[in-house]
């Protein structure tokens, strides 16, 4: 059985969700508040997978191109697109 995926968008209006409660399964401590989701959770699962593969390949786009069977320019363009998307999601980092 697969692990349920954390929802990041409201099922009613598609707005971004925020974390409002965390709990410890060991001692039952609960922390409440409104916390934004980490930026990487705002990316699609495919984009998250691309970043993970980039990290695992030590940032080698050549290696990623070989592993995915795509051309180097295609992989480079995907990385550039992700960089721009992350900049838009984190304006203070731009």
């Amino acid at each position: 059985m697969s692990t349920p995926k954390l929802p990041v968008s409201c099922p009613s209006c598609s707005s971004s969700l925020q974390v409002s409660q965390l709990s410890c399964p060991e001692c039952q401590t609960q922390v409440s508040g409104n916390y934004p989701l980490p930026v990487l959770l705002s990316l699609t699962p495919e984009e998250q997978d691309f970043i993970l593969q980039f990290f695992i390949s030590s940032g080698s786009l050549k290696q990623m191109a070989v592993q995915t069977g795509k051309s180097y320019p295609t992989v480079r363009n995907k990385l550039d697109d992700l960089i721009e998307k992350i900049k838009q999601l984190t304006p203070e980092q731009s």
Side-chain angles (χ1 to χ4, degrees), residues 39-50:
V39 172
L40 294 179
L41 286 178
S42 298
L43 302 176
T44 66
E46 293 80 19
E47 292 167 334
Q48 291 175 30
D49 185 54
F50 182 91

Side-chain angles (χ1 to χ4, degrees), residues 7-75:
V8 295
S9 299
C10 174
S12 295
C13 70
S14 299
S15 294
S16 294
L17 294 175
Q18 290 190 327
V19 176
S20 62
Q21 184 173 330
L22 299 169
S23 60
C24 175
E26 296 298 318
C27 70
Q28 309 307 314
T29 295
Q30 294 183 346
V31 179
S32 295
N34 283 315
Y35 308 98
L37 290 171
V39 172
L40 294 179
L41 286 178
S42 298
L43 302 176
T44 66
E46 293 80 19
E47 292 167 334
Q48 291 175 30
D49 185 54
F50 182 91
I51 290 171
L52 182 60
Q53 292 304 316
F54 181 72
F55 180 79
I56 290 170
S57 67
S58 299
S60 171
L61 295 177
K62 278 186 180 179
Q63 184 177 346
M64 285 184 67
V66 170
Q67 289 173 344
T68 61
K70 297 180 179 171
S71 70
Y72 176 87
T74 299
V75 175

